[in-house]
């Protein structure tokens, strides 16, 4: 595939698992030639994800970051509000099923769902249209990166999983993948406080096979 370019983003995304039993999409499991990456950094926290390997240029992988690449910087800025934007769009889309459930029996809805419904009912159609237009702009900005890099690398979470069952952790590292509608894979190859921490490989729209192939090539290197 020639030289690969990857960028270290500020955010991350959820992992997508493949059904290895039925194997409906064989291309997803194609492996690339193993390559050694440069030092990968999560720009948000400055954490070193992978130690630098010798002769990185001969390995065929180049890392581009927002400090040195205008398009990467533009995308990092564009997805800064990915979480609140995603939550507003999600709340609006849940408005009608949730108000139906509330009318049938409000006691069957959790406090979180009732709060989400209340938020949606405060929104207007024009506000939702503005949010959707903003999402289209962010997606277009991200799509421009495909001409410059094959995938985006970051952490899957800002830290190890929290203690207890009260929270599943901070979703800021994964919200942008949902907003952008892109494939993303979390490789549980890192550690934080002795607990697993994922290295995330995010691709581009309709680029599932490419994203899986890149993740398969990176995994043996860690």
């Amino acid at each position: 595939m020639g030289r690969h370019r990857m960028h270290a983003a500020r955010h991350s995304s959820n992992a997508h698992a493949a059904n290895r039993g039925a194997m409906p999409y064989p291309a997803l499991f194609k492996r690339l030639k193993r390559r050694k990456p440069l030092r990968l950094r999560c720009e948000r926290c400055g954490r070193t994800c992978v130690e630098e390997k010798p002769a990185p240029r001969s390995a065929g992988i180049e890392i581009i970051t927002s400090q040195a690449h205008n398009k990467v910087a533009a995308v990092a800025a564009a997805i800064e509000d990915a979480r609140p934007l995603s939550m507003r769009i999600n709340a609006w889309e849940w408005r009608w099923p949730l108000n139906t459930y509330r009318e049938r029996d409000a006691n069957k809805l959790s406090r979180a769902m009732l709060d989400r419904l209340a938020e949606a009912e405060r929104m207007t159609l024009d506000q939702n249209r503005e949010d959707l237009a903003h999402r289209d702009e962010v997606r277009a900005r991200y799509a421009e990166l495909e001409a410059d890099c094959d995938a985006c690398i970051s952490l899957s979470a800002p830290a190890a999983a929290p203690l207890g069952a009260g929270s599943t952790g901070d979703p800021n590292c994964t919200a942008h993948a949902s907003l952008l509608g892109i494939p993303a894979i979390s490789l549980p190859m890192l550690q934080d406080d002795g607990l697993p921490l994922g290295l995330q490989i995010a691709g581009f729209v309709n680029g599932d096979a490419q994203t899986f192939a890149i993740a398969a090539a990176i995994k043996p290197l860690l």
Side-chain angles (χ1 to χ4, degrees):
M1 294 180 60
R3 178 170 295 278
H4 289 272
R5 303 188 81 188
M6 303 180 182
H7 102 252
R10 289 191 176 186
H11 302 268
S12 318
S13 68
N14 294 321
H16 289 257
N19 183 347
R20 290 186 178 273
M23 293 282 284
Y25 304 111
L28 298 183
F29 305 100
K30 179 176 64 176
R31 287 187 174 272
L32 300 180
K33 181 180 179 181
R34 293 185 180 184
R35 305 180 189 276
K36 296 179 180 180
L38 295 171
R39 185 184 301 274
L40 311 180
R41 300 185 72 84
C42 175
E43 295 177 17
R44 188 170 191 176
C45 62
R47 182 191 305 254
T48 299
C49 300
V50 181
E51 290 301 320
E52 188 170 351
K53 304 296 182 179
R57 290 189 179 277
S58 64
I61 291 181
E62 177 185 1
I63 305 299
I64 58 177
T65 69
S66 60
Q67 286 85 0
H69 198 282
N70 290 336
K71 284 187 180 179
V72 175
V75 168
I79 63 175
E80 195 66 39
D81 66 343
R83 183 181 178 186
L85 179 57
S86 293
M87 292 299 290
R88 289 197 304 272
I89 293 173
N90 181 273
W92 179 267
E93 292 174 348
W94 270 96
R95 176 174 177 170
W96 286 271
L98 286 178
N99 63 18
T100 301
Y101 304 151
R102 181 186 59 190
E103 290 174 5
R104 294 188 64 177
D105 190 347
N107 292 324
K108 297 293 178 61
L109 290 177
S110 68
R111 182 71 262 165
M113 290 296 99
L114 289 172
D115 289 344
R116 179 168 296 187
L117 175 56
E119 176 189 3
E121 290 179 332
R122 289 191 296 268
M123 297 170 63
T124 67
L125 179 59
D126 285 341
Q127 288 174 329
N128 178 246
R129 287 171 174 167
E130 289 176 4
D131 284 340
L132 294 179
H134 186 188
R135 183 180 66 181
D136 288 343
E137 292 172 0
V138 175
R139 288 182 173 185
R141 175 77 67 179
Y142 181 79
E144 293 176 359
L145 264 185
E146 191 169 8
D148 294 76
C149 61
D150 297 287
C152 301
I153 300 178
S154 59
L155 296 178
S156 299
L163 182 65
S167 169
T168 57
D170 188 338
N172 277 334
C173 287
T174 60
H176 79 288
S178 296
L179 181 73
L180 296 170
I182 57 173
I185 300 169
S186 180
L187 300 177
M189 310 296 293
L190 310 174
Q191 286 193 349
D192 182 44
D193 262 351
L195 297 175
L197 184 64
L199 174 68
Q200 177 175 253
I201 315 298
F204 296 90
V205 173
N206 297 323
D208 300 62
Q210 171 82 346
T211 307
F212 269 83
I214 291 173
I218 290 176
K219 184 178 178 181
L221 303 174
L222 303 182

